[in-house]
Amino acid sequence: MNINSSKNSLLRARNLRSAKRARAGKVISSRTSRSSSSSRTQSSSSRKTNSTTTMTQTKQLAMYEKMEKSAYNLQVNVEKMLKIGKMSYTDDEAGKAAQENDTKNLLKGIQDFVADFNEVYNDLYDIGGVSNLAYKKTLDSVVSANEDALKEIGITVSKSGELCIDEKVLEKADLEKVKDLFAKEGGFADKIGDKMKIVEQGASNSLTTLSKLYGATSTYNKYGASNSYFNGNGYYNFNYGNYGSNSGWYF
């Protein structure tokens, strides 16, 4: 699996999205200044409605950003584990020490993999919508096909679909079986990583759509930048219209 081919395009899309949201934030700030006197005359019920709308917008953006981040992190983690799977070691002390260190890193990588998988899996379910539930089903399919093998090394599937690790069983598991699942091209982790490319792109597209609706700027940039919603001065109570509860992009 290689995520570098899509990384640059996602970065360009994110930068463009952030620029548009930054401009939208300035417009919102100007509107807020001009209408501050009239807004003070609004009824309490109207302010409550606007506040609820804003919180809903904020929650949607935050969930997609979190899901995008976890999907990306999982892909990076899989690449690291695949590199470990390709390593060879000498029979001397240095070789044994290197192998022990790589095994330790592999087990840590599996723990991080499970955490990111569960984060994305739950967000797909919580946000819902046709596209997100379709992504969730593809993850279910890969997990189901490897469920018995995962159980052998101490990883089980909960009734809700999350992965659960028994760390003691995992530490004692056959290392080659562990590598077959998590450190081998075409293995379980590699297949999940490929699915996460699609999930990440879908989240990115949804953030772009929501940004146009809400005029919000991202709180998270996986390449290192950190921004804040709107213009950084708080959450403005503007309703950008009906966006439809049946949309598969972001519900």
Side-chain angles (χ1 to χ4, degrees):
M1 183 188 72
N2 189 347
I3 65 173
N4 291 328
S5 60
S6 62
K7 181 175 180 180
N8 289 335
S9 61
L10 287 175
L11 175 58
R12 288 193 296 271
R14 184 185 295 281
N15 287 340
L16 179 62
R17 188 170 68 238
S18 295
K20 288 182 179 178
R21 281 179 286 186
R23 289 195 296 272
K26 292 180 181 179
V27 173
I28 293 171
S29 180
S30 176
R31 290 174 179 172
T32 304
S33 177
R34 290 196 301 269
S35 62
S36 58
S37 60
S38 61
S39 64
R40 285 194 293 268
T41 64
Q42 293 177 337
S43 67
S44 60
S45 61
S46 176
R47 288 197 299 270
K48 184 176 181 180
T49 300
N50 285 338
S51 177
T52 301
T53 300
T54 302
M55 289 303 295
T56 300
Q57 296 169 1
T58 302
K59 183 177 180 180
Q60 289 173 343
L61 287 163
M63 290 180 73
Y64 270 115
E65 288 170 339
K66 182 160 58 74
M67 183 167 67
E68 184 186 32
K69 176 182 178 181
S70 296
Y72 172 78
N73 286 344
L74 184 145
Q75 294 172 68
V76 172
N77 190 23
V78 169
E79 285 204 338
K80 291 179 180 178
M81 293 191 291
L82 291 178
K83 288 181 179 179
I84 292 176
K86 295 177 181 179
M87 294 295 294
S88 58
Y89 309 95
T90 58
D91 292 331
D92 56 16
E93 291 300 320
K96 292 178 181 179
Q99 185 174 18
E100 289 179 1
N101 185 63
D102 282 348
T103 299
K104 180 179 178 180
N105 289 334
L106 177 59
L107 296 180
K108 176 61 167 60
I110 293 173
Q111 294 174 354
D112 293 339
F113 173 97
V114 168
D116 287 327
F117 176 92
N118 289 341
E119 184 74 62
V120 172
Y121 191 86
N122 287 326
D123 285 343
L124 288 171
Y125 178 81
D126 290 340
I127 299 174
V130 176
S131 297
N132 291 326
L133 295 181
Y135 298 152
K136 177 178 171 291
K137 286 184 178 180
T138 63
L139 296 178
D140 285 333
S141 178
V142 178
V143 170
S144 178
N146 292 271
E147 189 169 358
D148 291 338
L150 288 168
K151 188 175 182 179
E152 282 190 48
I153 67 169
I155 299 176
T156 55
V157 184
S158 71
K159 291 182 179 180
S160 60
E162 293 180 315
L163 298 180
C164 306
I165 297 181
D166 186 323
E167 294 183 12
K168 292 183 179 179
V169 175
L170 179 61
E171 289 175 0
K172 296 178 180 179
D174 186 318
L175 183 58
E176 291 307 312
K177 290 184 178 180
V178 173
K179 286 185 176 181
D180 283 345
L181 287 166
F182 287 94
K184 181 179 179 180
E185 291 185 356
F188 168 72
D190 194 24
K191 289 179 180 178
I192 290 292
D194 283 339
K195 301 301 181 185
M196 288 296 177
K197 288 182 184 179
I198 303 172
V199 172
E200 182 191 6
Q201 184 63 67
S204 177
N205 291 341
S206 294
L207 283 168
T208 299
T209 302
L210 289 171
S211 299
K212 292 177 181 178
L213 290 172
Y214 302 154
T217 161
S218 175
T219 60
Y220 166 73
N221 186 316
K222 69 185 178 186
Y223 302 107
S226 178
N227 305 308
S228 59
Y229 290 118
F230 298 147
N231 67 353
N233 293 324
Y235 302 112
Y236 296 103
N237 296 330
F238 286 92
N239 188 340
Y240 284 82
N242 265 326
Y243 33 82
S245 61
N246 293 323
S247 173
W249 280 109
Y250 40 88
F251 285 95

